[in-house]
Amino acid sequence: QVQLVESGGGLVQPGGSLRLSCTASVYYYSMGWYRPAPGEQRELVATITAGGTADYADSVKGRFTISRDNAKNTVYLQMNNLKPEDTAVYYCHAKKSAWDITPNWGQGTQVTVSS
């Protein structure tokens, strides 16, 4: 059974940092992170392909950095200068190809930004 194991969530003060990790049991073409958004089921936070092409939501550009270790099937999300509006459950997302319409999801990890 394919698994996505997430870690790294927690409570941090505004301006602080957290690093999320997601490890897959198999190789995926792209891996990334989503979070709930008003009016949408989940919005993209950041994704990265195995070749290193990254995509970010405008709201996190300049603050979040996504990276991956292909040898470990692991994706990382370094989150800096966190804001209260970043508070959400962050879900790991993985696709087998660019055309995969049934991606896999992790169970989610809570990030809370509060003073």
Side-chain angles (χ1 to χ4, degrees):
Q1 183 177 357
V2 176
Q3 288 186 318
L4 298 174
V5 179
E6 300 145 324
S7 63
L11 172 64
V12 65
Q13 293 185 343
S17 298
L18 283 174
R19 188 194 195 206
L20 305 183
S21 300
C22 173
T23 298
S25 55
V26 298
Y27 165 85
Y28 283 97
Y29 165 75
S30 72
M31 297 181 71
W33 299 89
Y34 281 66
R35 64 189 182 190
E40 300 181 43
Q41 186 172 5
R42 290 172 186 171
E43 66 173 0
L44 176 144
V45 177
T47 61
I48 187 168
T49 67
T53 300
D55 189 21
Y56 295 91
D58 287 343
S59 60
V60 307
K61 285 180 180 177
R63 300 188 297 122
F64 292 9
T65 302
I66 191 168
S67 61
R68 66 184 285 172
D69 185 334
N70 292 332
K72 296 180 180 179
N73 293 331
T74 299
V75 63
Y76 305 97
L77 185 67
Q78 178 66 43
M79 304 185 292
N80 297 329
N81 190 21
L82 281 160
K83 303 176 180 180
E85 51 263 42
D86 295 317
T87 295
V89 177
Y90 284 69
Y91 295 91
C92 184
H93 171 272
K95 294 172 61 174
K96 299 181 184 68
S97 73
W99 306 274
D100 186 357
I101 60 172
T102 57
N104 285 337
W105 294 94
Q107 293 189 331
T109 184
Q110 177 70 47
V111 171
T112 302
V113 185
S114 175
S115 55

